[in-house]
Amino acid sequence: MYKQLIPRKSISHDPPEYILGATYDREVELEHHVIPRMVELFYTSWYIRAGIAEIQSGGKTHWAHAGQWVLFDPMCERGHRLSNGPALVSIRFRISWQGLDYLPPLAGIRIVDGAGKPGMLAAAEALCQANAVEHHPTSAAYFDRQAKFYDWLAMWRAEREALGPATLTLNDPRVLAIIETMTQRISIQPMDYEELQRAVGLSRAQINRVFHEETGLTPRQWMVARVLGDAQRKIRHGAFSLKEIAVSLGFFDASHFTRWHRRQTGQSPTDWRDQQAV
C-alpha cells in the first residue's frame, strides 16, 4: 500500500512559451525531401503553393495539393514525398509548457483548405519575411518578428480549437510532480520508478495511468521525447561532438546514440541536421 504524498509542485496556470524555429517560402528540391520515417518535437505547418505532398502516417496515405495547409503535431511519425515542382510556405515552432513540449491533446495530420483562410497565408508570408534574417533579441526588428509570429499563431490556434476544446492546464498535480522528478535526470537509461513512487506515493501502474490520462504519453514516452529534444538542440548548436551528446544522455557511446536516433527519426544525427530545411 502506497501512502499518498503531497506533490512538491502545485498546478500552475503559467502560459506556454512559444519558440519560433525555421521558416521559409520557396521552391523545394525534391531529392532532399524523400524521408521514409521521421519524428520531431516541432509543430510544423506547410502551405502548399505548388506541387503535391504525399504523406504517410499511421498506416494511411494523405495527399495535399496547391492551396492547402498541412498541419503536423509533435511526435507525429511520418514519411513524405514532394512532387510536381513543389513550393512551400513552412513554419516550425516549439512549445514549452509545464514540462511538456506540446499542448494536450496531440492530434493527427490535418489537411485544411486554405481558400477560406487568406489571412493565415498573409500572416505566414509576413512572418517568413521577418524571420529571414537574424535579429538581436533587444532590437525593434526582433519584436516586430515576434508580433508577426503571434499574429499567425492566433490563426493556427483557432484552427486547432476547431477540432475541439483545448487543454489549458494539467489538472492532476501528481503529474507535475512526476514531470519535475523526471526532469532532474534526462537519460535514455531505464526509468527510476522507485524515485517516482517516492515523489508521488503511487504504484508504478498508477503512475503510468495518471500520467497517460493527463498527457497522452507514458512516462517512458515523455522521457524518449525529452532525450530526443535535448539531443537535437545540441546537434543544432554544433558545439558538441556525438560522443559528448551520447554521454550526457546516458547512451553507451556515439554509435549507440546514432542507431537510436535513426530508429526514432529515420535519419542519422548528421543527416537530420542537414535536412532541417523542411
Side-chain angles (χ1 to χ4, degrees):
M1 179 68 66
Y2 288 90
K3 181 181 177 182
Q4 181 65 48
L5 303 181
I6 298 175
R8 291 176 292 169
K9 189 172 183 180
S10 60
I11 290 294
S12 169
H13 295 280
D14 292 339
E17 179 185 5
Y18 294 84
I19 305 102
L20 181 62
T23 64
Y24 64 81
D25 181 359
R26 59 173 170 78
E27 294 181 354
V28 180
E29 297 179 17
L30 294 180
E31 62 270 23
H32 290 168
H33 306 296
V34 181
I35 300 173
R37 175 177 178 265
M38 63 189 297
V39 175
E40 293 189 310
L41 299 182
F42 286 92
Y43 285 90
T44 301
S45 299
W46 293 344
Y47 178 79
I48 312 295
R49 283 200 182 278
I52 300 171
E54 175 190 352
I55 306 152
Q56 295 182 348
S57 180
K60 297 181 179 180
T61 300
H62 307 263
W63 298 89
H65 302 267
Q68 293 181 314
W69 283 94
V70 187
L71 308 179
F72 305 97
D73 275 15
M75 292 171 274
C76 173
E77 183 177 313
R78 73 178 193 266
H80 63 261
R81 180 188 299 270
L82 307 176
S83 59
N84 287 26
L88 302 178
V89 178
S90 178
I91 297 174
R92 303 168 75 221
F93 66 93
R94 296 185 68 163
I95 291 176
S96 177
W97 178 75
Q98 300 191 153
L100 299 177
D101 293 303
Y102 64 95
L103 293 179
L106 291 169
I109 293 171
R110 285 91 63 216
I111 297 176
V112 179
D113 187 0
K117 300 173 176 58
M120 190 171 177
L121 176 59
E125 292 170 334
L127 175 58
C128 289
Q129 184 175 0
N131 199 40
V133 297
E134 190 78 19
H135 300 296
H136 192 278
T138 61
S139 68
Y142 174 84
F143 291 108
D144 177 68
R145 186 198 70 176
Q146 292 301 102
K148 289 180 169 58
F149 180 32
Y150 275 83
D151 284 344
W152 182 83
L153 268 179
M155 301 178 199
W156 172 87
R157 185 70 247 180
E159 186 59 41
R160 282 302 305 272
E161 290 177 0
L163 297 174
T167 297
L168 300 180
T169 186
L170 297 177
N171 295 314
D172 192 333
R174 296 172 299 182
V175 173
L176 294 174
I178 293 169
I179 290 174
E180 183 183 24
T181 302
M182 291 193 297
T183 301
Q184 296 172 12
R185 187 176 73 96
I186 304 302
S187 172
I188 200 61
Q189 293 299 309
M191 299 287 299
D192 188 349
Y193 273 94
E194 290 185 0
E195 184 178 9
L196 296 179
Q197 289 166 355
R198 288 192 295 269
V200 295
L202 299 176
S203 69
R204 177 169 179 161
Q206 289 172 323
I207 288 170
N208 288 335
R209 177 180 57 78
V210 299
F211 196 87
H212 190 272
E213 286 175 351
E214 286 284 280
T215 69
L217 301 175
T218 66
R220 182 62 182 174
Q221 288 171 324
W222 179 94
M223 183 62 75
V224 167
R226 182 51 56 87
V227 169
L228 181 62
D230 284 8
Q232 291 182 340
R233 278 190 287 271
K234 291 177 179 178
I235 293 168
R236 286 196 303 271
H237 190 273
F240 304 93
S241 69
L242 292 184
K243 180 178 179 180
E244 289 171 326
I245 295 172
V247 170
S248 71
L249 295 172
F251 293 93
F252 297 121
D253 52 31
S255 296
H256 179 206
F257 168 62
T258 297
R259 291 193 303 271
W260 179 87
H261 191 279
R262 189 183 297 277
R263 286 198 304 271
Q264 298 301 315
T265 68
Q267 299 170 291
S268 70
T270 52
D271 287 344
W272 177 86
R273 180 194 60 205
D274 294 341
Q275 298 250 2
Q276 286 308 288
V278 164

